[in-house]
Amino acid sequence: MMALAGLGTLPASADPPPPPSYRQAVENAYQLVRNAAAGDAAAAQKAEAALRAGTGPTQPEIIDDLQQTPPDLIDAKARLLALLAALNEPADTADPAAAQQRLHDVLAMPRYDALHRPPSLLDRFVQWVGDRINQLLRLLFGAGAGAQAPTWIFYLFGAAVVIGVAVIVFRSARGRFAEGVIGGQPTGPRAPADYFAEADALAARGDRVGAIRALCAGVAGTLSGERTWEGSPLTVREIFQRAPDPAHLRPLLMPFEAAVYGGRDVDAATYERAARVAAPFRRPASAAA
């Protein structure tokens, strides 16, 4: 009885503390890497644990930086800082319908055509070959127990057929491609100077939303090459991270995101600040050519 009474007086274990919020986890990870020495593996491990505690696996690029040997703390710090900036100034809008329409307009841009196209003939052919092989295997060997079919033989045959078709398609398309290159068709990407000139023209007409988009295109082309705006899978925010001082481009980046993704207007003062930030990235048309 005395033993039972003693057991009854044991203190109850305290509940574990709640996990940090998403923003707090990002802040904790940033504080750990902000002043860490280059290649500090211990700081990287602590930062990864702090980040995962509130964000889980939702930041794979930062986690990959922290898991490298040695860890890439410079890139991780830049990404964490950009993430904090995005969390501190979320893109919201008072007109969801207009924002949805603006998103629809963005997705309708030529760079996103692949999202709307149906599978190509080659994709459908590969799927058809795979289906026929699976049907043949089920017909010959059934789905029950028994001798295992040499599936690798059928798949090897299917792969050979696909490769043969791909070679034929490539050889037939190569001539048209060479003809287009030799013909000198003006179908290449636009130079950054063209985007800056377009921004000036749009701003003069009062279209500051289109002008700030053109400014971002010019800066992106200057940072990462002329093909960046037409075909890069990176976001504008990720492209601007390549600048020597990404934080300096915030007066251009934030109004762009608010206008394009949030449906907000761009006033004259905001555009002037964005134009001043973009000015160092301008190049004369003759130099760009």
Side-chain angles (χ1 to χ4, degrees), residues 11 21 52 67 78 86 124 139 153 199 203 214 235 241 253-254 272:
S21 64
R52 286 181 179 273
Q67 289 180 343
R124 282 182 278 182
L139 178 64
I153 296 179
T235 65
Q241 288 298 321
L253 175 64
M254 301 309 296
E272 288 299 326

Side-chain angles (χ1 to χ4, degrees), residues 22-258:
Y22 199 100
R23 189 197 179 286
Q24 186 60 50
V26 176
E27 175 69 27
N28 293 342
Y30 175 72
Q31 293 299 330
L32 286 169
V33 302
R34 184 178 62 174
N35 298 320
D40 189 341
Q45 292 176 357
K46 293 179 181 178
E48 180 187 355
L51 183 65
R52 286 181 179 273
T55 66
T58 60
Q59 297 297 326
E61 295 86 359
I62 301 176
I63 293 174
D64 182 64
D65 285 341
L66 297 174
Q67 289 180 343
Q68 292 184 28
T69 305
D72 189 351
L73 296 181
I74 296 178
D75 188 66
K77 181 166 60 174
R79 289 180 180 274
L80 287 167
L81 186 60
L83 180 57
L84 279 174
L87 293 173
N88 289 334
E89 298 184 26
D92 55 2
T93 177
D95 190 349
Q100 184 66 27
Q101 180 61 40
R102 184 70 67 176
L103 176 62
H104 180 271
D105 294 341
V106 171
L107 293 178
M109 295 170 66
R111 72 176 71 177
Y112 299 113
D113 286 346
L115 298 176
H116 313 295
R117 284 198 298 263
S120 66
L121 290 176
L122 182 59
D123 293 334
R124 282 182 278 182
F125 177 75
V126 171
Q127 182 64 43
W128 180 85
V129 170
D131 293 341
R132 300 293 80 77
I133 291 176
N134 290 331
Q135 288 180 354
L136 179 61
L137 292 176
R138 287 194 295 268
L139 178 64
L140 293 178
F141 303 102
Q148 296 297 320
T151 56
W152 65 270
I153 296 179
F154 295 98
Y155 280 102
L156 182 62
F157 172 76
V161 173
V162 172
I163 292 174
V165 172
V167 169
I168 294 174
V169 172
F170 174 75
R171 293 186 63 182
S172 63
R174 184 175 59 179
R176 293 193 294 271
F177 174 75
E179 179 182 355
V181 172
I182 297 174
Q185 298 293 334
T187 58
R190 299 173 60 188
D194 294 339
Y195 285 114
F196 287 122
E198 179 183 351
D200 295 339
L202 291 173
R205 295 199 300 265
D207 183 6
R208 288 186 290 271
V209 173
I212 207 165
R213 182 187 290 112
L215 282 180
C216 286
V219 173
T222 302
L223 287 172
S224 300
E226 293 184 357
R227 295 184 180 274
T228 300
W229 194 254
E230 289 81 3
S232 175
L234 301 177
T235 65
V236 177
R237 182 180 291 270
E238 290 172 332
I239 295 171
F240 281 10
Q241 288 298 321
R242 300 182 178 183
D245 184 7
H248 182 69
L249 291 174
R250 283 176 57 81
L252 173 61
L253 175 64
M254 301 309 296
F256 167 80
E257 292 181 337

